[in-house]
Amino acid sequence: MESVNKPAVQERKKREPNYGLLVPLIYAPILPLLRIGLNGRVAPRTRDGIFAGAVLTALLHAGYVMSGDSSMGAGN
């Protein structure tokens, strides 16, 4: 009886990529390229600061993505 009330063709949900999970594919090649590209062009201290900032940004992004993950419970 319930099948009579349901439409014959259900609308499919449009699938979109989760761009938050694709960001590491961008960060992975950029980190070593920063070191190589800035070597000899800027002071070593500045180069290291830029690299550290990029690594910190990547770690903050990872924490943000993991905080939204429902499987990351408090030991439940």
Side-chain angles (χ1 to χ4, degrees):
M1 217 42 170
E2 286 184 32
S3 62
V4 175
N5 296 334
K6 291 183 181 179
V9 177
Q10 294 179 348
E11 290 186 36
R12 288 191 171 200
K13 201 176 191 182
K14 187 176 179 182
R15 293 179 55 180
E16 295 182 8
N18 186 351
Y19 292 109
L21 296 177
L22 293 176
V23 172
L25 294 175
I26 296 168
Y27 273 118
I30 285 187
L31 289 176
L33 288 176
L34 274 173
R35 301 286 284 191
I36 295 168
L38 296 177
N39 194 20
R41 297 176 195 259
V42 297
R45 185 176 174 113
T46 304
R47 181 193 67 213
D48 293 342
I50 292 171
F51 183 77
V55 169
L56 181 64
T57 303
L59 290 174
L60 287 172
H61 178 264
Y64 172 74
V65 169
M66 288 179 63
S67 71
D69 187 5
S70 62
S71 67
M72 297 296 295
N76 295 342

